[in-house]
Amino acid sequence: MTAGPEPPAEATGAGERVPKLTAAKPGAPDVPRLDARAIGAVAVFAFEAVEGTRQIGQLGKWISSAVAEELAEVRQLNVERRSLYRDHRRIVPVVQRVRATHPSPSATEASVVLTTPSRSRAVALRFEVLRGRWQATSITVL
């Protein structure tokens, strides 16, 4: 098993080579990148919140207050529509595909395809590092 390239080394007076440590990029966040499972989970929770089967507060630390307000507006319209049609089914989405890009070290944009028994839905998300953690600053459930 090969271990990949070694970092550049500095020569010492005793003939030993000591690995040279490189500094982190300035402005890079100390939080790790988001993985596809976390992005998919937030997309499913947002979909369930919009459909009325999950409380928006359960997304608490993952969304900004502006996103919570937007989801609440869409949720209100969907719940009203479902009550008019007397549709009380619980729609359970399954994550089909997650695509993420990283336009900057402190931002991640993703699209998630969710499938339900009757149709497929898309969720677009933008995450930014706010107060030392990832938060969704925009969520659109299509």
Side-chain angles (χ1 to χ4, degrees), residues 104-128:
S104 75
S106 62
T108 297
E109 295 177 347
S111 62
V112 180
V113 176
L114 302 175
T115 57
T116 63
S118 60
R119 61 192 264 192
S120 294
R121 306 283 297 264
V123 180
L125 305 105
R126 178 176 171 87
F127 292 92
E128 294 179 11

Side-chain angles (χ1 to χ4, degrees), residues 8-85:
E10 295 177 347
T12 62
E16 299 175 355
R17 295 185 63 83
V18 178
K20 184 181 188 180
L21 299 176
T22 58
K25 293 180 183 177
D30 292 337
V31 294
R33 280 192 171 178
L34 284 172
D35 65 340
R37 286 179 43 185
I39 294 169
V42 172
V44 168
F45 295 162
F47 174 83
E48 291 175 344
V50 165
E51 287 295 314
T53 57
R54 180 178 293 274
Q55 296 296 320
I56 295 172
Q58 290 178 317
L59 285 161
K61 70 175 188 170
W62 284 102
I63 60 174
S64 65
S65 58
V67 171
E69 290 172 9
E70 290 174 21
L71 290 177
E73 289 175 15
V74 175
R75 175 192 174 96
Q76 183 179 2
L77 295 172
N78 279 341
V79 168
E80 184 177 339
R81 177 190 50 82
R82 290 180 73 168
S83 67
L84 287 173
Y85 290 115

Side-chain angles (χ1 to χ4, degrees), residues 11 28 97 137:
R97 183 179 317 136
T137 56

